[in-house]
Amino acid sequence: QVQLVESGGGLVQAGGSLRLSCAASGRTFSSYAMGWFRQAPGKEREFVAAISWSDDTYYAGSVKGRFAISRDNTKNTVYLQMNSLKPEDTAVYYCAADQGVVATNSGAYDYWGQGTQVTVSS
């Protein structure tokens, strides 16, 4: 069992930056692929970024070049650095853990955090 706790969300102006963190419990964190997803009001949950156990990274086209995912296995934590934020980035951001290979579809992930709200004002 893995428990995930996100933090770092908040209100920011367009063009600003935020860094989300996701702390994981468990001793096998380094073997999990980790992902970030988001869900805006009235919309389906969508893939944002993912990182494999070997640090390969993947991004949605809408955030590529602006967001960066990273992990620190010594702290059991995955990060999402978000730069040049836009109002359309406003959503609840979720962290997820995948026991298998890294994936961009939410159905592949086994564990989810409770989410953290990110609001970008224009």
Side-chain angles (χ1 to χ4, degrees), residues 11-112:
L11 173 64
V12 64
Q13 288 188 332
S17 298
L18 282 175
R19 188 176 82 155
L20 305 183
S21 299
C22 173
S25 66
R27 291 174 287 182
T28 58
F29 173 79
S30 61
S31 67
Y32 283 84
M34 301 297 296
W36 287 97
F37 292 78
R38 67 186 181 187
Q39 188 166 19
K43 295 188 176 181
E44 293 186 352
R45 190 170 297 188
E46 65 174 2
F47 169 75
V48 176
I51 186 167
S52 71
W53 63 269
S54 58
D55 286 347
D56 295 320
T57 57
Y58 304 84
Y59 296 95
S62 59
V63 307
K64 199 168 186 178
R66 300 189 297 123
F67 290 11
I69 188 170
S70 61
R71 65 192 300 162
D72 185 341
N73 291 334
T74 66
K75 297 182 179 179
N76 280 13
T77 301
V78 62
Y79 304 98
L80 185 67
Q81 178 67 43
M82 305 186 295
N83 300 325
S84 302
L85 282 161
K86 305 175 181 180
E88 51 264 44
D89 294 318
T90 295
V92 177
Y93 283 71
Y94 297 90
C95 170
D98 177 6
Q99 292 178 311
V101 297
V102 65
T104 61
N105 58 301
S106 60
Y109 287 80
D110 305 291
Y111 304 101
W112 291 84

